[in-house]
Amino acid sequence: MRYISTRGGINPIAFKDAVMMGLASDGGLLLPQSYPVVTGEQLESWRKLTYPELAFEVISRYADDIPASDLKSLINHSYAGFNHPDVTPLVRQNGVYILELFHGVTLAFKDVALQFLGNLFEYILAERKQTLNIIGATSGDTGSAAIHGVRGKKGISIFILHPHGKTSKVQALQMTSVTDANVHNIAVRGTFDDCQDMVKEIFGDLEFKEKYSLGAVNSINWARVLAQVVYYFYAWFRVTDETDAPVNFSVPTGNFGDIFAGYVAKRMGLPIGKLLLATNENNILTRFINASDYSLGGVVATVSPSMDIQIASNFERYLFHLFAEDAGRVKEAFAELKEYGRISCSPEEMALVREDFCSASINQDATLQTIRDFYSDTGYLLDPHTAVGVKAALDLLPSDSARVCLATAHPAKFSETVEQALGFKVPAPESVKELYGKPTRCEIMDADLSKVREFLVAHIG
Ligand SMILES: *Cc1c(COP(=O)(O)O)cnc(C)c1O
């Protein structure tokens, strides 16, 4: 399998090179040249597999430059730390299925991909005798999952900037309580945007980037999308173990990474009905799907902060397919976005979009009400991101279909909001309680680029 760029500017490369490249060197995103199709008897033969076995079957079709035994051990190692034997268990509540993606170490679905990516980086770096210094900005979830993905790994250091005092308590502790020598937390006196701007400046200095072997871990890495394709298969098997009803997925969406993985599963032949793209008030993708309106607005802060995004980075991957793999058309679209703040699609293109996707935008009041209603009906706690997807599914998907709602975070990770909705304290799992007694390490700094650069240079091995 070879990988190409959505902007058409690179020669096809192998999987390991795609993982190390991250963002394509022409500014586009990397995609496989084709999707292996798995249907009929072959698909059925995967039904009885455990999660890691299934992950191997899916991932090995894309990572064909890694020997099978090595890939198996990378995958087994990545999912051994999950606190549920099914890794991503499916439960039935209130007429919907909840796909619990929060059984990893930081209690959010990002662990599914970042545990694997951390192991993959370590493996490829060792083989190539290289080192990597990961720099990233986070509003909370990506940073903690990335830190746990690479802590203690040989050849890798990680520097994560977060806005001081502006993440949830649990998110901050999940980052700062990791005191491995290769992990560096920087709490910036400023906003998430200040953090992100400084990281962009640092990557923009190509000489500095080369000299210090800097790399990123944001959701543009193909390996992250790939790892997430697996749980669509896994959930589909568990649902169709018990029903013949058509299977739809509802996905709380920010950067379009998670739902794009569902689209890939569909392209591989998995019989998925609709992919329901659920947004909060930051609803550019809902406006696009429902009203053909992809025009930029401002970002608003909501109770589902990991979805407070305007430009969804992975959306470019989907546009490439929507535009029939025409990289020229992708470039035109992004030129239009830059100049006029919007992307326009033809009625024929919009008809294609609506074959695969439907969408709803759920506001904060409805999100909090859903947490309350769901709890009073079932006793089951939803985190605010999951609640957005559940509400969208109840509103939009037929009740005689199997409605699978992706649960992207554990309620304890956003306990402030869950408690606001319910009016009482929610129980914290052991792993959260333990965080409070642990020693922490974190550098608190002003939003001053020269200071951050000095810190990097002093701590890069
Ligand atoms: C990152 C995140 C999302 C959004 O996922 P995307 O892949 O960016 O669309 C939703 N919920 C939670 C809890 C997250 O951490």
Side-chain angles (χ1 to χ4, degrees):
M1 181 68 74
R2 315 284 288 175
Y3 292 82
I4 52 174
S5 166
T6 53
R7 305 270 173 120
I10 67 163
N11 290 322
I13 55 175
F15 175 76
K16 286 189 287 195
D17 298 314
V19 172
M20 296 317 289
M21 190 178 274
L23 187 70
S25 52
D26 63 353
L29 298 186
L30 295 168
L31 278 171
Q33 274 184 321
S34 64
Y35 294 105
V37 171
V38 181
T39 49
E41 266 173 42
Q42 190 179 24
L43 181 63
E44 262 324 296
S45 74
W46 290 3
R47 181 176 292 280
K48 295 254 159 38
L49 300 181
T50 64
Y51 189 97
E53 287 167 349
L54 181 64
F56 174 77
E57 292 301 332
V58 173
I59 294 172
S60 61
R61 279 163 173 74
Y62 294 91
D64 51 5
D65 55 348
I66 299 180
S69 58
D70 290 357
L71 186 59
K72 271 185 193 155
S73 88
L74 287 172
I75 290 170
N76 290 341
H77 192 160
S78 301
Y79 300 112
F82 278 62
N83 69 13
H84 194 288
D86 293 347
V87 180
T88 62
L90 187 79
V91 300
R92 193 168 182 167
Q93 295 286 349
N94 232 13
V96 298
Y97 292 91
I98 308 275
L99 180 60
E100 294 184 342
L101 302 175
F102 51 68
H103 290 277
V105 56
T106 72
L107 309 178
F109 84 94
K110 291 185 170 75
D111 292 324
V112 177
L114 284 168
Q115 286 293 315
F116 176 62
L117 185 62
N119 288 323
L120 201 53
F121 274 150
E122 185 182 48
Y123 174 83
I124 300 172
L125 289 168
E127 198 176 68
R128 299 184 173 183
K129 302 189 171 50
Q130 290 173 351
T131 57
L132 175 66
N133 294 295
I134 294 168
I135 320 274
T138 187
S139 58
D141 278 357
T142 305
S144 53
I147 285 170
H148 285 268
V150 304
R151 67 181 299 179
K153 295 238 181 306
K154 287 191 268 316
I156 310 177
S157 292
I158 187 166
F159 298 80
I160 295 289
L161 283 65
H162 71 266
H164 185 46
K166 294 197 175 74
T167 65
S168 87
K169 187 100 197 135
V170 172
Q171 285 175 325
L173 285 172
Q174 282 178 339
M175 293 190 278
T176 59
S177 67
V178 180
T179 54
D180 299 63
N182 70 333
V183 173
H184 305 278
N185 280 288
I186 303 173
V188 173
R189 291 190 200 91
T191 62
F192 168 62
D193 285 333
D194 293 331
C195 299
Q196 194 154 43
D197 289 347
M198 288 193 287
V199 169
K200 276 191 193 148
E201 290 276 342
I202 291 165
F203 279 118
D205 181 345
L206 294 183
E207 207 178 305
F208 189 79
K209 182 174 175 236
E210 285 294 309
K211 181 167 177 201
Y212 293 106
S213 313
L214 305 186
V217 277
N218 40 22
S219 58
I220 45 122
N221 199 301
W222 166 253
R224 282 186 66 179
V225 174
L226 177 57
Q228 292 169 207
V229 173
V230 177
Y231 51 68
Y232 285 89
F233 278 85
Y234 194 77
W236 185 85
F237 285 121
R238 296 299 75 78
V239 171
T240 55
D241 280 342
E242 47 180 83
T243 171
D244 294 330
V247 184
N248 300 305
F249 284 88
S250 177
V251 188
T253 294
N255 258 327
F256 203 81
D258 209 0
I259 196 162
F260 185 72
Y263 175 78
V264 171
K266 203 170 172 182
R267 293 283 299 246
M268 292 177 73
L270 190 69
I272 293 175
K274 282 280 191 294
L275 293 161
L276 165 51
L277 186 154
T279 57
N280 60 27
E281 282 89 338
N282 298 287
N283 61 4
I284 179 170
L285 293 170
T286 300
R287 282 188 280 115
F288 173 69
I289 293 169
N290 292 349
S292 314
D293 168 24
Y294 189 92
S295 58
L296 293 178
V299 180
V300 279
T302 73
V303 292
S304 44
S306 299
M307 295 157 65
D308 293 349
I309 284 165
Q310 271 296 311
I311 298 196
S313 47
N314 278 290
F315 192 56
E316 176 163 348
R317 289 194 156 107
Y318 175 66
L319 285 179
F320 181 70
H321 292 309
L322 179 63
F323 298 156
E325 287 82 44
D326 176 355
R329 173 82 177 90
V330 173
K331 281 196 268 192
E332 258 169 42
F334 280 92
E336 186 192 359
L337 184 67
K338 199 163 175 201
E339 190 159 352
Y340 303 106
R342 59 158 199 267
I343 291 175
S344 315
C345 288
S346 70
E348 293 74 28
E349 286 163 347
M350 289 312 305
L352 284 176
V353 171
R354 291 175 193 132
E355 271 178 29
D356 289 321
F357 297 93
C358 58
S359 188
S361 166
I362 306 299
N363 69 24
Q364 303 208 54
D365 287 344
T367 304
L368 296 174
Q369 189 62 43
T370 302
I371 295 173
R372 269 192 293 276
D373 291 347
F374 215 79
Y375 180 75
S376 72
D377 290 346
T378 64
Y380 188 88
L381 293 170
L382 299 172
D383 108 283
H385 304 80
T386 307
V388 167
V390 167
K391 172 67 176 152
L394 291 171
D395 285 354
L396 235 61
L397 296 176
S399 59
D400 58 357
S401 71
R403 300 175 286 189
V404 181
C405 302
L406 272 55
T408 51
H410 190 288
K413 192 157 193 183
F414 296 93
S415 57
E416 291 95 336
T417 299
V418 179
E419 284 164 15
Q420 182 194 341
L422 297 176
F424 59 84
K425 273 211 124 22
V426 300
E430 259 338 286
S431 68
V432 168
K433 286 189 206 144
E434 282 166 9
L435 284 175
Y436 288 86
K438 285 187 181 167
T440 60
R441 187 158 55 80
C442 179
E443 189 76 17
I444 302 173
M445 271 189 222
D446 287 332
D448 177 341
L449 182 62
S450 61
K451 293 263 162 57
V452 172
R453 282 172 65 123
E454 260 172 45
F455 182 86
L456 294 180
V457 171
H459 291 86
I460 282 173

